Amino acid sequence: MASFNEILSQVKRQVREVSVEDTRARVHGAGGEPPPVLVDIRERDEYEQGFIGKAEWIPRGFLELKIEDLVPDRNREIILYCAGGTRSALAARSLQELGYERVSSMAGGFRAWKQSGHPFDRPRNLSAEQVKRYSRHIMLPEVGEVGQGKLLDAKVLCLGAGGLGSPSSLYLAAAGVGTIGMVDDDLVDESNLQRQILHNMERLGMPKVESARKTLQALNPNVKVIAHQTRLTSENILDIISGYDLIVDGADNFPTRYLLNDAALKLGKPVVHASIFRFEGQLTTFLPHEGPCYRCLYPDPPPPGMAPSCQEAGVLGVLPGIVGTLQANEALKIILGVGQTLSGRLLVFDALGTKWRTLKLRKDPECRVCSKKPEEIELIDYEAFCSIAG
């Protein structure tokens, strides 16, 4: 019977090994080819001591179970590494048996990487409570502990604590977004409760931002909720949104939407925009200076009276729940840096027909706002611009 060393020698003859220097060059895209997927297969206690910055982490015991989710294309190049190069060689052979054709082991492992003086990162150490709470996130290769750390560090501003702000903020809090700001100057009214699930009968007359704080922190006590009981204006918007990474727009009027668009472009803040009307919802994402902005979609507001609000026209109660949840999905993708956002696309949902349509949006090269440099963007009188000043 062959000894372990004999088996290991045989495996290393069958598995391609790459040097630390070659791995570093390839992962950073040297040579013009798509970079390989770098996978750290060490255990948690090893990983917590440091990892290569661009590496995905799948402990060895879960590799065969999770690799297909991380790398569905069996022709994609994969480089595995462990502490010293032994486990990664054995794991590489296992992936070959699963049909992966371009899998390699990094010779010398993470130990050789550190000895070569190359930089490495340290993961955010989640508490035992956080690991348990976010376990379903952590097991996703696209999220993992690194991604959950991004969520915990993120700051998201929800504009409106109403129909759209309710589901979006609830799911952001549940996901572990560390700081959630809520902007709203309204009070809880009985007519809100048909759709605004942040609130309840016991809070009638309470400021919506305070009701939102109670609900979100009851769901996740570790989330910091910042209440902005005010209406956004040209005078306060830059101060308010500057402290957040992105904005989830649940505004119900055109002056605020144009104001938010211009201020977000000026500060370079992504905006996840949505609107609802009776049985229809619309959703898109505006990435500053990368795609179209709100003014590319709507250069001018509609004439007064042509676009009534939900208060005037009504809305199906479940509709903001569907659309607001999709807003949370967009926000999480932006924070995690995964997937494809709705930038350049407008998603339209028809609740009566249960139909989805996707419309292509184009950036207007002559847009009055996003064609300018940020420092050239001026915040105007948006009430007058929308012709509804009292």
Coordinates of all heavy atoms in Angstrom, one line a residue, residues 61-108:
G61 N -13.3 21.5 3.3 CA -14.4 20.5 3.5 C -15.6 20.9 2.7 O -16.5 20.0 2.5
F62 N -15.7 22.1 2.2 CA -16.9 22.5 1.4 C -16.6 22.8 -0.1 O -17.4 23.2 -0.8 CB -17.5 23.8 2.0 CG -18.0 23.7 3.4 CD1 -17.2 23.9 4.5 CD2 -19.4 23.3 3.5 CE1 -17.7 23.8 5.8 CE2 -19.9 23.2 4.8 CZ -19.1 23.4 5.9
L63 N -15.3 22.5 -0.5 CA -14.9 22.9 -1.8 C -15.7 22.3 -2.9 O -16.3 22.9 -3.8 CB -13.4 22.6 -2.0 CG -12.8 23.0 -3.4 CD1 -12.9 24.5 -3.5 CD2 -11.4 22.5 -3.5
E64 N -15.9 20.9 -2.9 CA -16.6 20.2 -3.9 C -18.1 20.6 -3.9 O -18.7 20.7 -5.0 CB -16.5 18.7 -3.8 CG -15.1 18.2 -4.1 CD -14.1 18.3 -3.0 OE1 -14.5 18.9 -1.9 OE2 -12.9 17.9 -3.1
L65 N -18.6 21.0 -2.7 CA -20.0 21.3 -2.6 C -20.3 22.7 -3.2 O -21.4 22.9 -3.7 CB -20.4 21.3 -1.1 CG -21.8 21.6 -0.7 CD1 -22.8 20.6 -1.3 CD2 -22.0 21.7 0.8
K66 N -19.3 23.7 -3.0 CA -19.6 25.0 -3.4 C -19.0 25.5 -4.6 O -19.3 26.6 -5.1 CB -19.2 26.0 -2.2 CG -20.1 25.7 -1.0 CD -19.7 26.8 0.1 CE -20.6 26.6 1.3 NZ -20.3 27.7 2.4
I67 N -18.0 24.8 -5.2 CA -17.2 25.3 -6.3 C -18.1 25.6 -7.5 O -17.8 26.5 -8.3 CB -16.1 24.3 -6.7 CG1 -15.1 25.0 -7.7 CG2 -16.6 23.0 -7.2 CD1 -14.4 26.2 -7.1
E68 N -19.1 24.8 -7.8 CA -20.0 25.0 -8.9 C -20.7 26.3 -8.9 O -21.1 26.9 -9.9 CB -20.9 23.8 -9.1 CG -20.2 22.5 -9.5 CD -21.2 21.4 -9.7 OE1 -22.3 21.5 -9.3 OE2 -20.8 20.4 -10.3
D69 N -21.1 26.7 -7.6 CA -21.8 28.0 -7.5 C -20.8 29.2 -7.8 O -21.2 30.2 -8.4 CB -22.3 28.2 -6.1 CG -23.5 27.2 -5.8 OD1 -24.2 26.9 -6.8 OD2 -23.7 26.8 -4.7
L70 N -19.6 29.0 -7.3 CA -18.6 30.1 -7.5 C -18.1 30.1 -8.9 O -17.9 31.2 -9.5 CB -17.4 29.9 -6.5 CG -16.3 30.9 -6.6 CD1 -16.7 32.3 -6.3 CD2 -15.1 30.5 -5.7
V71 N -17.8 28.9 -9.5 CA -17.2 28.8 -10.9 C -18.0 27.8 -11.7 O -17.7 26.6 -11.8 CB -15.7 28.4 -10.8 CG1 -15.1 28.6 -12.2 CG2 -14.9 29.2 -9.8
P72 N -19.2 28.2 -12.2 CA -20.0 27.3 -13.0 C -19.3 26.8 -14.3 O -19.6 25.7 -14.8 CB -21.3 28.1 -13.3 CG -20.9 29.5 -13.1 CD -19.8 29.6 -12.1
D73 N -18.4 27.7 -14.9 CA -17.8 27.3 -16.1 C -16.5 26.5 -15.8 O -15.5 26.9 -15.3 CB -17.3 28.6 -16.8 CG -16.7 28.4 -18.2 OD1 -16.6 27.2 -18.6 OD2 -16.2 29.3 -18.8
R74 N -16.6 25.2 -16.3 CA -15.5 24.3 -16.0 C -14.2 24.6 -16.8 O -13.2 23.9 -16.6 CB -16.0 22.8 -16.2 CG -16.8 22.3 -15.0 CD -17.4 21.0 -15.2 NE -17.8 20.3 -14.0 CZ -18.9 20.7 -13.3 NH1 -19.7 21.7 -13.7 NH2 -19.2 20.1 -12.2
N75 N -14.3 25.5 -17.8 CA -13.2 25.9 -18.6 C -12.5 27.1 -18.0 O -11.4 27.5 -18.5 CB -13.6 26.2 -20.0 CG -14.0 24.9 -20.8 OD1 -13.4 23.9 -20.6 ND2 -15.1 25.0 -21.5
R76 N -13.1 27.7 -16.9 CA -12.5 28.9 -16.3 C -11.2 28.4 -15.5 O -11.2 27.4 -14.8 CB -13.5 29.5 -15.3 CG -13.0 30.8 -14.6 CD -13.0 32.0 -15.6 NE -12.4 33.1 -14.9 CZ -13.1 34.0 -14.2 NH1 -14.4 33.8 -14.0 NH2 -12.5 35.0 -13.6
E77 N -10.2 29.2 -15.5 CA -9.0 28.9 -14.8 C -9.1 29.1 -13.3 O -9.7 30.2 -12.9 CB -7.8 29.7 -15.3 CG -6.5 29.4 -14.6 CD -5.3 30.2 -15.1 OE1 -5.5 31.1 -15.9 OE2 -4.2 29.9 -14.7
I78 N -8.7 28.2 -12.5 CA -8.8 28.3 -11.0 C -7.4 28.0 -10.5 O -6.7 27.1 -10.9 CB -9.7 27.2 -10.5 CG1 -11.1 27.4 -11.1 CG2 -9.8 27.3 -9.0 CD1 -12.1 26.3 -10.7
I79 N -7.0 28.8 -9.5 CA -5.8 28.6 -8.7 C -6.2 28.4 -7.2 O -6.8 29.3 -6.7 CB -4.8 29.7 -8.9 CG1 -4.3 29.9 -10.3 CG2 -3.5 29.5 -8.0 CD1 -3.4 31.0 -10.5
L80 N -5.8 27.3 -6.7 CA -6.1 27.0 -5.3 C -4.9 27.3 -4.4 O -3.8 27.0 -4.9 CB -6.6 25.6 -5.1 CG -7.7 25.1 -6.0 CD1 -7.9 23.6 -5.7 CD2 -9.0 25.8 -5.7
Y81 N -5.1 27.7 -3.2 CA -3.9 27.8 -2.3 C -4.4 27.4 -0.9 O -5.5 27.6 -0.5 CB -3.2 29.1 -2.3 CG -3.9 30.3 -1.6 CD1 -3.7 30.5 -0.2 CD2 -4.8 31.1 -2.3 CE1 -4.4 31.6 0.4 CE2 -5.4 32.2 -1.7 CZ -5.2 32.4 -0.3 OH -5.8 33.5 0.3
C82 N -3.4 26.8 -0.1 CA -3.7 26.5 1.3 C -2.5 27.1 2.1 O -2.0 28.1 1.7 CB -3.7 25.0 1.5 SG -2.2 24.1 1.0
A83 N -2.1 26.5 3.2 CA -1.0 27.1 4.0 C 0.3 26.8 3.4 O 1.2 27.7 3.3 CB -1.1 26.5 5.4
G84 N 0.6 25.6 2.9 CA 1.9 25.2 2.4 C 1.9 24.6 1.0 O 3.0 24.3 0.5
G85 N 0.8 24.3 0.4 CA 0.7 23.7 -0.9 C 0.3 22.3 -1.0 O 0.1 21.7 -2.1
T86 N 0.1 21.6 0.1 CA -0.2 20.2 0.1 C -1.7 20.0 -0.1 O -2.2 19.3 -1.0 CB 0.2 19.5 1.4 OG1 1.6 19.6 1.5 CG2 -0.2 18.0 1.4
R87 N -2.5 20.6 0.7 CA -4.0 20.5 0.6 C -4.5 21.0 -0.7 O -5.4 20.4 -1.3 CB -4.7 21.2 1.8 CG -4.6 20.4 3.1 CD -5.2 21.3 4.2 NE -4.3 22.4 4.5 CZ -4.6 23.4 5.3 NH1 -5.8 23.4 5.9 NH2 -3.7 24.4 5.6
S88 N -3.9 22.1 -1.2 CA -4.3 22.6 -2.5 C -4.0 21.7 -3.6 O -4.8 21.7 -4.6 CB -3.7 24.0 -2.7 OG -2.3 24.0 -2.7
A89 N -2.9 21.0 -3.6 CA -2.6 20.0 -4.6 C -3.6 18.9 -4.7 O -4.1 18.5 -5.7 CB -1.2 19.5 -4.4
L90 N -4.0 18.4 -3.5 CA -4.9 17.3 -3.4 C -6.3 17.8 -3.8 O -7.1 17.1 -4.5 CB -5.0 16.8 -2.0 CG -3.7 16.1 -1.5 CD1 -3.8 15.8 0.0 CD2 -3.5 14.7 -2.2
A91 N -6.6 19.1 -3.4 CA -7.9 19.6 -3.8 C -8.0 19.9 -5.3 O -9.0 19.7 -6.0 CB -8.2 20.9 -3.1
A92 N -6.9 20.3 -5.9 CA -6.8 20.5 -7.4 C -7.1 19.2 -8.1 O -7.9 19.2 -9.1 CB -5.5 21.0 -7.8
R93 N -6.6 18.1 -7.7 CA -6.9 16.8 -8.3 C -8.4 16.5 -8.2 O -9.0 16.0 -9.1 CB -6.1 15.7 -7.7 CG -6.3 14.4 -8.5 CD -5.5 13.2 -8.0 NE -6.0 12.8 -6.7 CZ -5.6 11.7 -6.1 NH1 -4.7 10.9 -6.6 NH2 -6.0 11.4 -4.9
S94 N -9.0 16.8 -7.0 CA -10.4 16.5 -6.8 C -11.2 17.4 -7.8 O -12.2 16.8 -8.4 CB -10.8 16.9 -5.4 OG -12.1 16.7 -5.2
L95 N -10.8 18.6 -8.0 CA -11.6 19.4 -9.0 C -11.4 18.9 -10.4 O -12.3 19.0 -11.3 CB -11.2 20.9 -8.9 CG -11.5 21.6 -7.6 CD1 -11.3 23.1 -7.8 CD2 -12.9 21.3 -7.2
Q96 N -10.2 18.4 -10.7 CA -10.0 17.8 -12.0 C -11.0 16.6 -12.3 O -11.5 16.5 -13.3 CB -8.6 17.3 -12.2 CG -7.5 18.4 -12.3 CD -6.1 17.9 -12.4 OE1 -5.9 16.8 -12.0 NE2 -5.2 18.7 -12.9
E97 N -11.2 15.9 -11.2 CA -12.1 14.8 -11.3 C -13.6 15.2 -11.5 O -14.4 14.5 -12.0 CB -12.0 13.9 -10.1 CG -10.7 13.2 -10.0 CD -10.5 12.4 -8.6 OE1 -11.3 12.6 -7.7 OE2 -9.5 11.7 -8.5
L98 N -13.9 16.5 -11.1 CA -15.2 17.0 -11.3 C -15.3 17.7 -12.7 O -16.4 18.2 -13.0 CB -15.5 18.1 -10.2 CG -15.8 17.6 -8.8 CD1 -16.0 18.8 -7.9 CD2 -17.0 16.8 -8.8
G99 N -14.2 17.6 -13.4 CA -14.3 18.2 -14.8 C -13.7 19.5 -15.0 O -13.8 20.1 -16.1
Y100 N -13.1 20.1 -14.0 CA -12.4 21.4 -14.2 C -11.1 21.2 -14.9 O -10.2 20.4 -14.4 CB -12.2 22.1 -12.8 CG -13.6 22.7 -12.3 CD1 -14.4 21.9 -11.5 CD2 -14.0 23.9 -12.7 CE1 -15.6 22.4 -11.0 CE2 -15.2 24.4 -12.2 CZ -16.0 23.6 -11.4 OH -17.2 24.1 -10.9
E101 N -10.9 21.8 -16.0 CA -9.8 21.5 -16.9 C -8.6 22.4 -16.7 O -7.5 22.0 -17.0 CB -10.2 21.6 -18.4 CG -11.4 20.7 -18.8 CD -11.8 20.9 -20.2 OE1 -11.3 21.8 -20.9 OE2 -12.7 20.1 -20.6
R102 N -8.8 23.5 -16.0 CA -7.6 24.5 -15.9 C -7.5 24.8 -14.4 O -7.7 26.0 -14.0 CB -7.9 25.7 -16.7 CG -8.1 25.5 -18.2 CD -8.4 26.7 -18.9 NE -7.4 27.7 -18.9 CZ -7.6 29.0 -19.1 NH1 -8.8 29.5 -19.4 NH2 -6.6 29.9 -19.0
V103 N -7.2 23.9 -13.6 CA -7.1 24.1 -12.2 C -5.6 23.9 -11.7 O -5.0 22.9 -12.2 CB -8.0 23.2 -11.4 CG1 -7.8 21.7 -11.7 CG2 -7.9 23.4 -9.9
S104 N -5.1 24.8 -10.9 CA -3.7 24.7 -10.5 C -3.6 24.9 -9.0 O -4.6 25.3 -8.3 CB -2.9 25.8 -11.1 OG -3.0 25.8 -12.6
S105 N -2.5 24.5 -8.4 CA -2.2 24.7 -7.0 C -1.0 25.7 -6.9 O 0.0 25.6 -7.6 CB -1.8 23.4 -6.4 OG -1.3 23.5 -5.1
M106 N -1.1 26.6 -6.0 CA 0.0 27.6 -5.8 C 1.0 27.0 -4.9 O 0.8 26.6 -3.7 CB -0.6 28.9 -5.1 CG 0.5 30.0 -5.0 SD -0.1 31.6 -4.4 CE -0.2 31.2 -2.6
A107 N 2.2 26.8 -5.5 CA 3.3 26.2 -4.7 C 3.7 27.0 -3.5 O 3.9 28.2 -3.6 CB 4.5 26.1 -5.7
G108 N 3.9 26.3 -2.4 CA 4.3 27.0 -1.2 C 3.2 27.6 -0.4 O 3.4 27.9 0.8

